[in-house]
Amino acid sequence: MAGETWALRALGERAAEARFARLAEALGAAGTSAPVLELANRAASDEARHFGFCVDAAARFDVAVPDESVAIPWTATGMSDDQRLLHEVVAMCCITETLSAAFLVEMQRQTTDPALHATVREILVDEVGHSRIGWGHLAHVYGRIDLRYLGACLPGMLSDTVGDVLFASSSPNDPALALGPYGVLARTTRREIFTACMRQVVFPGLTQHGVDCAAGIQWLDTRSSRSGTTP
């Protein structure tokens, strides 16, 4: 299971590489701030490097990963170019990359395998920078465009990030419970981190920029109630 998990991460990194390459171009055209653009221009190469790390990690468990390019469509439709770009940046960076950094902090704590621990640590440093792309661009456009439309988009963003499977019942025999030393988090741990990250970091951060997070909070409350997660 550890090898398969690292292989799935490798595919995720390849997809992130494609998304960041597109985001960097769009952010440059939109005239975002220089610090944000610098981070965005570096992000695709970061993800390409992460892909290699994850491929190597999967190979340690005799799991191969296909080296294929990935085409990722824009996740939002029916919006202006500025709105669509901001939707993508918030979903990818403010939510997904902020969450990824939170997961990696716990993975770094649990991972005892020296090589995998080093991999987790290096990816974590980059993911923090990637989350800053979203928060930095959000700050750049705050007061220039109306951000209220993002509130209604939050349930879709959250669902795209983790899906309902994260809130499914967990078996006490979940094999991931024994794989923390190899960089694999149990579902219950990932669910707790996701919930805390959204409530303590993402929702407050978006609220500070004028985004009404009520729909996102309701989405999370509903799923937390079903799974028995503490609000």
Side-chain angles (χ1 to χ4, degrees), residues 42-65:
R42 195 167 64 226
S45 60
D46 290 341
E47 300 293 4
R49 207 171 71 257
H50 298 174
F51 173 80
F53 292 156
C54 294
V55 167
D56 290 345
R60 293 189 55 193
F61 302 94
D62 297 321
V63 176
V65 180

Side-chain angles (χ1 to χ4, degrees), residues 185-207:
L185 298 178
R187 182 188 296 169
T188 52
T189 300
R190 289 185 287 114
R191 187 163 60 222
E192 290 168 0
I193 293 171
F194 173 78
T195 301
C197 183
M198 294 306 109
R199 295 192 191 283
Q200 298 173 19
V201 180
V202 173
F203 293 155
L206 293 175
T207 298

Side-chain angles (χ1 to χ4, degrees), residues 46-129:
D46 290 341
E47 300 293 4
R49 207 171 71 257
H50 298 174
F51 173 80
F53 292 156
C54 294
V55 167
D56 290 345
R60 293 189 55 193
F61 302 94
D62 297 321
V63 176
V65 180
D67 187 0
E68 301 174 352
S69 60
V70 179
I72 304 296
W74 290 98
T75 55
T77 58
M79 298 180 180
S80 69
D81 289 345
D82 285 344
Q83 288 178 327
R84 186 178 66 172
L85 173 59
L86 186 57
H87 180 285
E88 186 86 353
V89 169
V90 169
M92 180 67 177
C93 302
C94 296
I95 295 178
T96 301
E97 295 293 306
T98 299
L99 175 62
S100 178
F103 282 156
L104 286 159
V105 168
E106 179 60 18
M107 286 167 59
Q108 183 174 241
R109 188 188 71 81
Q110 292 192 23
T111 304
T112 56
D113 179 275
L116 294 177
H117 187 275
T119 292
V120 169
R121 183 176 64 247
E122 186 152 354
I123 294 175
L124 170 59
V125 172
D126 291 336
E127 300 294 74
V128 171

Side-chain angles (χ1 to χ4, degrees), residues 131-155:
S131 72
R132 289 171 54 203
I133 296 169
W135 298 112
H137 185 63
L138 195 61
H140 177 72
V141 300
Y142 181 54
R144 304 184 189 194
I145 65 174
D146 188 347
L147 306 182
R148 289 177 295 179
Y149 78 98
L150 289 171
C153 300
L154 284 176

